[in-house]
Amino acid sequence: MADHYDVIIIGSGAGGGTLAHTLASSGKRILLLERGDFLPRELENWDPKPVFVDGKYISEDTWYDRDGKGFQPQVHYFVGGATKLYGAALYRLRPGDFGELKHVSGISPAWPLSYDDFEPWYTAAERLYQVHGNGGEDPTEGHRSEPYPWPAVSHEPRIQQISDDLARGGYHPFHAPCGILLNEARRPESTCIRCATCDGYPCLVHAKSDAEVIAVRPLLGRPNVTLLTGAEVTKLETDDPGRTVTGVVVSRDGNREVYTGDIVAVSAGAANSAKLLLNSANDKHPNGLGNGSDQVGRNYMFHNCLAVVALAKEKNDTVFQKTLGINDFYFATKDYQWPMGNIQMIGKSNAEAMRGEQPEKTMFAPNWTLSDVAEHAVDFWLTTEDLPVPENRVRTDSGGNVHLTYSSTNDEEAGRLYGELKKVLNHTGMAAHHVLRKNFYMNMSIPVAGCAHQAGTCRFGTDPATSVLDVNCKAHELDNLYVVDTSFFPSIGAVNPALTAMANALRVGEHLADRMA
Ligand SMILES: Cc1cc2nc3c(=O)[nH]c(=O)nc-3n(C[C@H](O)[C@H](O)[C@H](O)COP(=O)(O)OP(=O)(O)OC[C@H]3O[C@@H](n4cnc5c(N)ncnc54)[C@H](O)[C@@H]3O)c2cc1C
Ligand code: SF4
């Protein structure tokens, strides 16, 4: 089957779904190719056992680590991509993240564009994804041309108490920016019911601002947009000079199909986009498409993170917990010369999900059942920036499989941030020794598999010798090939990546609309 489109977009997640959404109004013919299907709506969406213990919504892919050992990566092949399972914490990078930042393990390089360049696109992305937040509370945030489109999600009493305790301790807790379709002022009209199974779960009632609900579903039925699910792109073909992608090869229902488009935008997720370009090597691009600089697949990042459960004597009956953040340690402090990162809340632990944990991790409270632990738990997520190291990279073997080599960076900063969390906990009545790791969140028991925040692999820049993409996210070496997922990040900062991918897709979308006008 052959068909020609103005734009072919590969992958329907934060990058690809958002790009399709913004280009749809141009009237151009768009083909959205997604290897997964729609995520089924079923009671199991909100059941911790299938979600966390059985990994029902995690792909069955096998990737290989540096020793050639296979592992199951935390990737999600659905319309909407990883956003179907995400926690919807929709942060902007800090202005300082766009500049060069010195870390204990090296340099986080400057972006070719500044925060000011991104600001209008962040504003547009927050509007599209209906982000709830409260500007001005977090001293590290950049200027905003508009307030958040929705008021911040309120803290429940236990979290409000923690926030008050922190403020009294001299910290600057803020309401975490959040993409859920919650209308707290008019609850009967709210799509979101504010439940406890959000972060890491699909939303059964389609109330999460994920790329399927917000970006792709509204396009269904539009005459100029075609979505093909179960359509895995396996190769990109070029013309003889190697300057133009002329064929997008798809495996669908066991058949090989080829589509053509004036523009091809890859957005398969950082590892899979690199895989596709590497597996598309040809005479003119012997090391992979657009890889004359040997940068494709390199500089893979996914954050140096830690999920912990802090226990207090009092119960934590919070339902929706992901409402608070602390950036007091995001950059250097007077006591420590390096940036440490971000602390935020994550979804509330429950006993069923914790069953996936190693039993010895809970032995310190011998008289407590898992339910007791879960009832008292307050759950934190610590994120330290990891650096774009060339040796941290995606490669493919002769069978086209992903091999991921990764060594962590900034471990000292991450350890220091954990130490700061313990001090923070002392201000909130949660003794430091009552803290345990929460590995089931984001598959963290196998570090390299916890690739939820994957980024890098095709970074954008002005120098073709050190980057894959130009500032419009077009491959330096090809005239019609773009990459619009988190691959383009030259550095990852220490906040969650999705809003930046969405904002960038809107930015690239305007460039493409101008180019095709
Ligand atoms: C449990 C979890 C919690 C998270 N929480 C947050 C959070 O709170 N805040 C935040 O900012 N980020 C969060 N993230 C990360 C966020 O979801 C990702 O950063 C974001 O979705 C990345 O967007 P993307 O477009 O690069 O990739 P994705 O959204 O993963 O989209 C890639 C798409 O490409 C498709 N695809 C892959 N290969 C092919 C192929 N060969 N052919 C066709 N299609 C293909 C995939 O099926 C997928 O739909 C979380 C992720 C997870 C897993
Ligand atoms: S909190 Fe709201 S958005 Fe999240 S899963 Fe529940 S209903 Fe869906």
Side-chain angles (χ1 to χ4, degrees):
M1 181 177 166
D3 213 344
H4 190 80
Y5 292 84
D6 296 310
V7 186
I8 297 179
I9 301 171
I10 300 163
S12 63
T18 308
L19 180 66
H21 187 92
T22 190
L23 283 179
S25 53
S26 69
K28 297 289 177 187
R29 292 192 66 212
I30 297 162
L31 175 64
L32 183 53
L33 295 168
E34 168 53 53
R35 71 174 284 173
D37 206 334
F38 285 96
L39 193 145
R41 295 175 78 173
E42 52 198 3
L43 287 176
E44 287 170 307
N45 290 173
W46 279 349
D47 186 340
K49 183 168 181 298
V51 174
F52 282 111
V53 182
D54 304 338
K56 174 165 182 160
Y57 302 113
I58 298 180
S59 136
E60 288 174 4
D61 261 14
T62 302
W63 293 358
Y64 298 89
D65 67 13
R66 66 166 75 239
D67 302 318
K69 191 161 169 263
F71 65 91
Q72 188 186 10
Q74 169 116 21
V75 285
H76 307 280
Y77 297 146
F78 295 106
V79 176
T83 68
K84 287 306 297 172
L85 282 294
Y86 79 164
L90 292 177
Y91 280 82
R92 298 178 176 205
L93 285 170
R94 317 285 99 182
D97 290 320
F98 289 85
E100 183 178 289
L101 268 179
K102 292 194 174 63
H103 284 267
V104 67
S105 298
I107 300 285
S108 164
W111 288 39
L113 298 176
S114 67
Y115 175 82
D116 287 349
D117 294 320
F118 263 79
E119 200 286 331
W121 303 110
Y122 275 135
T123 298
E126 285 172 350
R127 225 183 288 135
L128 176 62
Y129 281 86
Q130 304 191 28
V131 182
H132 295 51
N134 194 11
E137 292 177 341
D138 172 6
T140 67
E141 72 183 351
H143 84 270
R144 312 179 53 84
S145 54
E146 283 179 23
Y148 281 101
W150 282 84
V153 178
S154 65
H155 297 317
E156 290 175 48
R158 180 75 177 102
I159 306 303
Q160 184 64 54
Q161 183 193 352
I162 292 173
S163 178
D164 294 344
D165 289 345
L166 290 175
R168 263 193 297 278
Y171 299 104
H172 301 86
F174 58 90
H175 286 85
C178 185
I180 55 176
L181 306 181
L182 176 66
N183 186 341
E184 292 197 84
R186 300 168 77 91
R187 283 296 286 267
E189 292 166 24
S190 176
T191 314
C192 169
I193 61 166
R194 189 169 186 146
C195 71
T197 45
C198 192
D199 191 6
Y201 298 81
C203 178
L204 177 57
V205 296
H206 277 190
K208 199 189 281 190
S209 294
D210 63 47
E212 179 207 343
V213 169
I214 296 291
V216 180
R217 258 184 196 275
L219 308 184
L220 302 178
R222 281 189 83 123
N224 64 323
V225 179
T226 304
L227 167 68
L228 288 187
T229 57
E232 181 184 357
V233 178
T234 55
K235 193 171 175 100
L236 302 178
E237 298 172 335
T238 70
D239 60 1
D240 285 344
R243 291 294 313 180
T244 306
V245 176
T246 51
V248 175
V249 181
V250 170
S251 167
R252 193 161 72 106
D253 297 332
N255 299 316
R256 181 181 188 272
E257 300 171 355
V258 181
Y259 298 89
T260 59
D262 292 343
I263 306 281
V264 175
V266 177
S267 191
N272 279 312
S273 288
K275 171 186 171 184
L276 179 59
L277 298 191
L278 294 171
N279 287 348
S280 299
N282 61 26
D283 288 355
K284 289 291 180 313
H285 299 272
N287 298 321
L289 218 52
N291 196 22
S293 60
D294 190 26
Q295 291 297 305
V296 172
R298 292 189 184 272
N299 306 304
Y300 176 90
M301 300 164 278
F302 72 153
H303 278 146
N304 193 332
C305 346
L306 182 63
V308 298
V309 172
L311 303 177
K313 283 207 182 70
E314 61 195 301
K315 284 190 181 174
N316 176 15
D317 56 6
T318 305
V319 175
F320 185 86
Q321 186 173 246
K322 208 175 167 74
T323 58
L324 182 135
I326 307 163
N327 273 341
D328 290 271
F329 318 105
Y330 198 89
F331 296 114
T333 62
K334 66 176 175 26
D335 300 325
Y336 189 60
Q337 62 175 311
W338 311 112
M340 283 175 262
N342 163 274
I343 298 176
Q344 59 185 271
M345 316 295 301
I346 43 176
K348 176 88 183 68
S349 283
N350 60 64
E352 195 60 57
M354 290 186 93
R355 258 181 254 288
E357 294 283 48
Q358 299 298 316
E360 66 269 18
K361 299 270 167 57
T362 53
M363 289 297 279
F364 80 100
N367 300 323
W368 277 13
T369 63
L370 276 178
S371 299
D372 293 327
V373 171
E375 268 180 17
H376 292 255
V378 182
D379 306 72
F380 293 92
W381 173 247
L382 282 66
T383 306
T384 298
E385 176 164 10
D386 60 342
L387 299 177
V389 178
E391 293 73 29
N392 285 348
R393 64 189 294 200
V394 172
R395 276 183 274 212
T396 55
D397 59 24
S398 55
N401 302 300
V402 169
H403 289 248
L404 190 55
T405 304
Y406 181 85
S407 301
S408 64
T409 55
N410 295 335
D411 289 340
E412 183 192 309
E413 293 174 9
R416 186 83 183 210
L417 185 61
Y418 184 42
E420 295 295 348
L421 174 72
K422 289 179 180 170
K423 289 189 215 159
V424 163
L425 294 176
N426 283 334
H427 284 278
T428 58
M430 286 177 276
H433 61 277
H434 275 175
V435 175
L436 54 113
R437 291 176 73 106
K438 177 173 169 169
N439 284 329
F440 67 84
Y441 182 75
M442 290 205 190
N443 221 3
M444 293 181 64
S445 47
I446 311 167
V448 79
C451 53
H453 286 189
Q454 58 183 282
T457 73
C458 297
R459 65 183 178 190
F460 80 152
T462 50
D463 182 358
T466 57
S467 56
V468 177
L469 310 172
D470 68 13
V471 289
N472 293 318
C473 289
K474 184 186 79 62
H476 290 296
E477 295 168 25
L478 288 107
D479 298 327
N480 68 340
L481 176 65
Y482 290 77
V483 181
V484 294
D485 52 27
T486 55
S487 306
F488 86 98
F489 285 35
S491 67
I492 192 171
V495 286
N496 318 48
L499 188 75
T500 301
M502 294 157 176
N504 186 59
L506 296 177
R507 184 183 72 88
V508 174
E510 185 184 72
H511 159 78
L512 289 177
D514 289 348
R515 174 176 164 161
M516 292 186 291

